[in-house]
Amino acid sequence: MNVRKIVTVVEEIRTEGGREVATPAKVAVVAAVIANPWAGRGFVEDLAPGIDAHASDLGALLAPAVLEALGAPAEAYGKAAIVGLDGEIEHGSALIHTLKFGDHFRKAADATTLLPAVEKRGPAGVLFDIPLKHITDATIRSHHQSVEVRISDAPHPGEIVVALAAAAQGRPQQRLAPLATER
């Protein structure tokens, strides 16, 4: 796996809606900018060898890093794969939509729910939003949120940005009733 760089972003929200947040809300993102193992090879029918060669290593690299950056237990999480212009969206999906990748984060966060994702293709500096959901109950609305990410020089055409995001809580100042209250 050829990693060009790792980017870590930690956001701490102290005020929301004009009011101080009782406990600052933290969200962390850790992204690896890697060479796309399939770029420049034309249409690759069997992605399995590349998945086997890279997905688990990426999960093992990113999962502990994002939790360390968060500095607190994760309550919400998400993932992303942003493919450079010489690749296919399927290349990013191949790396992140496998238990070889996602189970590293699930185990590290003691999570059980589906790990929400975004995949897209774009040029260096493309904006993308990583969706977040609660780690054990996807119906908890307070934890449905997203975090916006942009890496100014990535992905290059033959690269993929693979990222994990974690939040230590739900949205700041959330006040929606539980989903179960709607009939």
Side-chain angles (χ1 to χ4, degrees):
M1 178 174 58
N2 182 355
V3 178
R4 180 165 65 88
K5 69 179 187 174
I6 304 286
V7 176
T8 302
V9 177
V10 178
E11 178 177 273
E12 190 173 286
I13 302 163
R14 295 174 170 260
T15 303
E16 180 72 21
R19 290 188 177 183
E20 185 176 330
V21 176
T23 302
K26 286 183 75 174
V27 178
V29 176
V30 176
V33 179
I34 67 166
N36 181 338
W38 302 286
R41 295 178 43 199
F43 187 85
V44 177
E45 187 69 40
D46 184 5
L47 301 178
I51 294 167
D52 290 342
H54 303 292
S56 183
D57 290 344
L58 276 168
L61 173 70
L62 296 174
V66 73
L67 293 175
E68 182 179 333
L70 186 63
E75 288 188 14
Y77 66 166
K79 62 187 174 182
I82 311 306
V83 180
L85 296 175
D86 286 348
E88 301 171 37
I89 293 171
E90 190 72 2
H91 297 163
S93 295
L95 293 174
I96 68 169
H97 288 300
T98 174
L99 297 177
K100 293 174 183 181
F101 176 78
D103 274 355
H104 288 282
F105 201 9
R106 273 185 213 84
K107 288 175 184 168
D110 199 24
T112 58
T113 58
L114 179 71
L115 186 53
V118 62
E119 306 94 340
K120 69 187 278 185
R121 181 177 38 236
V126 66
L127 273 171
F128 58 98
D129 289 343
I130 302 176
L132 303 172
K133 302 284 186 210
H134 195 277
I135 64 169
T136 59
D137 185 348
T139 68
I140 297 177
R141 287 197 260 195
S142 60
H143 288 61
H144 293 198
Q145 55 188 317
S146 62
V147 58
E148 185 177 82
V149 182
R150 178 183 175 273
I151 301 173
S152 62
D153 69 341
H156 290 169
E159 293 180 332
I160 302 173
V161 174
V162 177
L164 292 178
Q169 69 298 305
R171 296 181 309 276
Q173 314 292 26
Q174 76 81 26
R175 50 200 177 274
L176 294 178
L179 188 59
T181 63
E182 290 187 15
R183 307 255 175 206

